[in-house]
Amino acid sequence: MRSTEQTPDWAMNPETRAGRVAECFRERFAGEPELWARAPGRVDFMGSHTDYNLGYVLTLPISRDTWIAARRRDDRRVRVYSMNLDAEDEFPLDAIASVAGSRWCNYVRGVAATLQNEGLAALGCDAIVHSTVPLESGLSSSAALECAVATMFEELGGWKLTPERKALLCQKAENEFVGVKCGILDQYSSCLGREGCALLLDCRDLSTRAVWIAGGIRVVVCNTMSRRRLSGGEYAERRAECEQAAAALGVSALRDVTPGMLAARRHELSPGAARRCEFIVAESARAESLAGALTGGDWPVVGQLCAASFAGARDLYDICSPAMVAMMDAMLAAPGAIGARQAGAGFGGCMVALVDATRTDAFRAAVREAYYRSTQVDPEIYPVEAAPGAEVFDGAKIGK
Ligand code: ADP
Ligand code: MG
């Protein structure tokens, strides 16, 4: 099989990774970084597109994360290099402009500008970014980058944000500076993770509940390797369709629509809008149900809820791609599969499987082979752990 791995082996060993990042820092900036921050990516167990409809999402902040190693500068300039993209950006904190041709720069600039607009003093720095979250694959590398950058500025500036406020400011940066109208899910997940737990997020009041996962289950990410872009039209289109459906039903968000209400008033919606609405109403309810089934270790229910979510994504919300269908077939046929579905907003990218922990290796091998057979693409298939939210850490100690 041809190897298309995005994440090299060295990156999965924290010691080696910290060493490489420090080495890169020395080469570019001379000397050592003085602070390290990290923020996780995430997979969604349930709740595709429910966040902007103010419903429930069950999400897992994961051990794939974004690191930033930095050192303060005194001239109010920020120089930042991404090892993933082999690209550098430099900008003055006192006149932050967005960059038209290079999207990634705007995530860093946007966070700096948004923090400063809130009256939080940002300091200049040299910084190296390195991520093990695959980019543009639905595991939220953009939020991981934003939340790591915000945590770096927080530490440099000597002030402290609550995880909730940090998430909201990062979302604001992505909405207003980058121009992607994402919901709050990605940033909340990246900031509020608790080790060993999934998070049930109520996107209306932004309350979260840590959801303990019963033993014996492994979470395995299955990357279709087909990339997606959220600034593409489909995401905005789905949002607009949901807003129109909510307006037609006289509610402020689809969160307020019950199954009974939809059944009684379906005729007031266009057939297309009714399908979108049906998916969101059921998907939000499934997020709550799955939280209970995961804690209770009720594997048949986990499998049914995941299957219903994928079917809705394919038949009602139209966010499936041929690569996702091929991956779903491969995951369900593999030994040890308990449940499988899309991991994020759809349109390609990553999928997630919940797998009998004792059969993880056999599962990985079978999925890889079956997916390659049907698509001629070699997928990345890897287990992930539940990880804590954005934080500073001692990279120098790890790298030694
Ligand atoms: P997702 O968040 O699902 O990975 P998005 O399209 O929302 O996908 O965001 C991906 C974009 O975020 C990348 O195209 C890039 O501009 C930026 N990005 C994320 N992580 C990094 C990184 N480590 N280095 C540089 N840019 C990054
Ligand atoms: Mg994103």
Side-chain angles (χ1 to χ4, degrees):
M1 278 188 249
R2 197 168 55 92
S3 177
T4 49
E5 303 255 321
Q6 295 185 40
T7 311
D9 282 347
W10 61 260
M12 296 322 297
N13 173 326
E15 292 80 28
T16 319
R17 185 180 175 197
R20 294 278 180 109
V21 172
E23 191 181 308
C24 179
F25 191 96
R26 273 177 229 120
E27 274 169 18
R28 298 231 141 220
F29 305 128
E32 299 295 321
E34 63 190 19
L35 84 90
W36 297 67
R38 60 164 288 279
R42 62 106 182 80
V43 290
D44 292 341
F45 283 155
M46 195 57 74
S48 295
H49 295 262
T50 49
D51 65 338
Y52 55 80
N53 287 299
L54 308 188
Y56 285 98
V57 190
L58 184 64
T59 180
L60 185 78
I62 55 171
S63 41
R64 294 264 175 156
D65 58 6
T66 298
W67 286 8
I68 186 158
R71 188 183 58 205
R72 184 190 162 144
R73 292 169 61 122
D74 293 325
D75 60 359
R76 299 200 45 73
R77 294 187 75 77
V78 173
R79 253 178 92 189
V80 55
Y81 173 76
S82 164
M83 291 176 72
N84 300 88
L85 297 184
D86 185 20
E88 185 172 295
D89 185 32
E90 180 168 352
F91 60 92
L93 283 168
D94 295 323
I96 304 181
S98 69
V99 182
S102 181
R103 200 160 87 96
W104 83 276
C105 304
N106 292 331
Y107 291 94
V108 181
R109 291 173 179 229
V111 170
T114 306
L115 294 172
Q116 292 194 126
N117 286 344
E118 291 289 303
L120 298 159
L123 295 184
C125 58
D126 292 327
I128 300 287
V129 169
H130 180 263
S131 189
T132 54
V133 186
L135 272 53
E136 294 170 14
S137 300
L139 300 192
S140 201
S141 69
S142 59
L145 176 60
E146 292 151 13
C147 299
V149 167
T151 304
M152 172 194 75
F153 279 123
E154 185 181 32
E155 187 69 11
L156 282 170
W159 32 265
K160 199 85 194 130
L161 296 172
T162 61
E164 289 85 355
R165 182 154 176 238
K166 190 187 291 179
L168 285 163
L169 291 176
C170 288
Q171 182 203 18
K172 193 169 187 204
E174 183 155 345
N175 286 172
E176 293 174 9
F177 201 94
V178 183
V180 176
K181 240 185 138 201
C182 60
I184 187 60
L185 163 67
D186 298 358
Q187 293 81 4
Y188 244 63
S189 193
S190 194
C191 289
L192 276 93
R194 290 244 307 264
E195 190 145 24
C197 290
L199 278 181
L200 183 67
L201 166 63
D202 178 339
C203 296
R204 166 153 279 159
D205 65 13
L206 297 183
S207 60
T208 54
R209 175 157 74 77
V211 174
W212 181 75
I213 304 167
I217 201 162
R218 271 331 280 278
V219 181
V220 181
V221 170
C222 301
N223 191 344
T224 63
M225 312 306 279
S226 63
R227 289 188 175 194
R228 37 161 288 285
R229 276 216 162 73
L230 274 196
S231 45
E234 292 97 339
Y235 180 84
E237 213 175 277
R238 294 297 175 284
R239 275 191 87 132
E241 288 168 338
C242 288
E243 277 163 24
Q244 284 155 16
L249 293 172
V251 294
S252 64
L254 292 185
R255 159 66 175 270
D256 298 319
V257 179
T258 60
M261 179 178 173
L262 180 61
R265 298 181 56 191
R266 206 179 166 105
H267 61 277
E268 294 172 38
L269 298 171
S270 69
R275 284 163 61 237
R276 304 292 190 240
C277 196
E278 188 181 335
F279 174 73
I280 294 298
V281 171
E283 183 77 353
S284 182
R286 280 191 289 263
E288 280 188 285
S289 307
L290 185 61
L294 278 177
T295 302
D298 192 343
W299 302 153
V301 170
V302 169
Q304 284 155 22
L305 291 167
C306 291
S309 175
F310 181 78
R314 184 190 57 208
D315 303 334
L316 299 172
Y317 219 67
D318 295 320
I319 52 174
C320 250
S321 66
M324 290 169 67
V325 174
M327 185 60 86
M328 188 70 181
D329 289 346
M331 294 189 294
L332 288 179
I338 293 169
R341 64 182 289 282
Q342 64 280 7
F347 309 114
C350 288
M351 316 268 298
V352 61
L354 299 161
V355 177
D356 174 348
T358 61
R359 308 189 75 184
T360 310
D361 291 341
F363 175 87
R364 290 175 74 183
V367 172
R368 197 169 175 207
E369 200 196 312
Y371 187 74
Y372 184 80
R373 212 182 316 118
S374 59
T375 62
Q376 275 69 60
V377 173
D378 194 12
E380 275 195 323
I381 312 287
Y382 47 87
V384 291
E385 315 289 338
E391 62 189 354
V392 291
F393 69 102
D394 193 346
K397 208 165 166 185
I398 295 179
K400 291 229 163 91

